Amino acid sequence: MELRKPSKKLLGFASVLLALLSGCGPGIEEVDNEVEGKLGVMSQAIGYNGNDYLFVTTPKSWPEAQALCAISGYKLVTINDSNEESFLAQHESSFGQYNWWIGLNDRGIEGFFTWDGGASTYTNYYPSEPNNYNGAEDCVADRYRGDDGSTQSEQWNDWDCNRAFPFICERAPEPTTNRGSFSYTAANTANATVNVTGFAVHLRAGQVFTVGTCGVPGASRSGDTYLRVNNPYGQEVAANDDAGGACGFGSNISIVVAVSGTHTIRAGCYSSGSCNGTVAYNISD
Ligand code: BGC
Ligand code: CA
């Protein structure tokens, strides 16, 4: 993965996320409608294997999608292996959408495919693809569904780059190993809503905060963990049960911080089960 380091344009991006993350508590209702309008509807950043991903469900052309990812220092996703693919598939299907733009394209030289964000030799095309249909297909989308709906697949197809599809952005891992960690043992936490282990972290608006029992160096777990994060107003801004992919039942959250102040990590276990782990976190500069 050779993605660029995050740009410093995170404040605008944070306000985009505000629209999605905030329950509109005091002082956190400012939303940059212009930026939000440009980006369209997206998920909060989701962490996997140390990288951050955005699933943007508003359909855009491939060049527009590439430009919109770049606003926040992201590239269109590079898929490196089948574990990453299964992580993407899990989230794509949770949004119920097919044909998600990925970074792969041969817009430069016909038949010579490159990735927007780096290098990868992994491919997972639908049979007989890429076929450059009508000589006009240079951009690749994951989770192929044909226009008549007859074909539905987790595999890839090349399409006309002007087609409007949802898209996935990816950003490289932060350079640090981790900024801190704590261990916990828990039981009967009702999906990390009671009997949790709390841990305070000081965060500034615009920082990327990643926390996990998996997917952050130093993290580990036994059993089915569940993590939640509260903002300085005590409002929950993110939660994760299973990060999926290589993380399995481990948990991982990545957010762009919307409000400066003391946030609380709340560590528990799925349902009424028992679990334990080391929660590790990273904070971008
Ligand atoms: C072809 C695909 C092509 C699509 C474009 C399908 O019939 O099999 O390769 O990308 O049409 O609409
Ligand atoms: Ca095709």
Side-chain angles (χ1 to χ4, degrees):
M1 185 68 46
E2 295 168 34
L3 294 167
R4 274 188 321 154
K5 279 213 54 199
S7 79
K8 297 293 172 195
K9 295 182 183 169
L10 285 170
L11 280 172
F13 179 50
S15 60
V16 174
L17 287 173
L18 217 46
L20 297 134
L21 300 180
S22 79
C24 284
I28 56 168
E29 52 277 286
E30 319 142 44
V31 173
D32 186 335
N33 287 314
E34 194 188 339
V35 178
E36 185 191 19
K38 283 182 189 156
L39 261 168
V41 178
M42 66 174 171
S43 68
Q44 67 186 43
I46 297 171
Y48 165 71
N49 206 16
N51 290 4
D52 302 320
Y53 297 78
L54 296 173
F55 293 80
V56 184
T57 57
T58 306
K60 301 284 180 183
S61 71
W62 192 97
E64 284 175 311
Q66 180 190 39
L68 290 168
C69 291
I71 286 176
S72 304
Y74 283 72
K75 298 284 190 177
L76 280 166
V77 65
T78 299
I79 306 179
N80 292 86
D81 55 39
S82 57
N83 284 334
E84 187 176 12
E85 176 103 50
S86 75
F87 157 78
L88 298 178
Q90 184 193 352
H91 290 281
E92 289 165 345
S93 67
S94 77
F95 290 108
Q97 284 172 266
Y98 282 83
N99 299 322
W100 294 76
W101 285 133
I102 61 177
L104 193 58
N105 72 95
D106 69 341
R107 299 201 311 154
I109 301 170
E110 181 53 43
F112 183 70
F113 283 86
T114 58
W115 292 90
D116 184 34
S120 171
T121 53
Y122 173 79
T123 60
N124 184 25
Y125 284 109
Y126 189 75
S128 302
E129 304 295 346
N131 66 352
N132 195 28
Y133 188 70
N134 279 345
E137 297 192 314
D138 293 337
C139 295
V140 178
D142 190 20
R143 205 162 195 251
Y144 175 39
R145 179 168 62 191
D147 286 328
D148 64 4
S150 59
T151 305
Q152 296 197 347
S153 163
E154 296 299 333
Q155 293 181 290
W156 308 350
N157 179 31
D158 61 334
W159 294 88
D160 183 331
C161 302
N162 297 315
R163 294 286 297 250
F165 289 149
F167 56 100
I168 305 162
C169 315
E170 180 183 10
R171 182 165 55 189
E174 299 302 325
T176 48
T177 50
N178 69 55
R179 296 286 186 97
S181 63
F182 64 95
S183 295
Y184 76 106
T185 300
N188 292 311
T189 66
N191 289 338
T193 57
V194 295
N195 301 328
V196 295
T197 300
F199 188 89
V201 279
H202 304 283
L203 303 172
R204 285 195 318 275
Q207 289 178 322
V208 177
F209 175 61
T210 306
V211 58
T213 57
C214 178
V216 178
S220 64
R221 55 109 192 167
S222 168
D224 189 346
T225 59
Y226 209 123
L227 294 178
R228 297 178 184 275
V229 176
N230 283 9
N231 72 11
Y233 300 101
Q235 297 164 323
E236 184 172 300
V237 290
N240 182 252
D241 174 12
D242 303 330
C247 277
F249 295 125
S251 310
N252 187 288
I253 289 169
S254 185
I255 57 170
V256 177
V257 177
V259 186
S260 298
T262 303
H263 290 60
T264 308
I265 303 166
R266 303 169 71 222
C269 315
Y270 169 68
S271 186
S272 58
S274 305
C275 68
N276 64 77
T278 298
V279 178
Y281 59 90
N282 270 325
I283 307 170
S284 70
D285 296 328

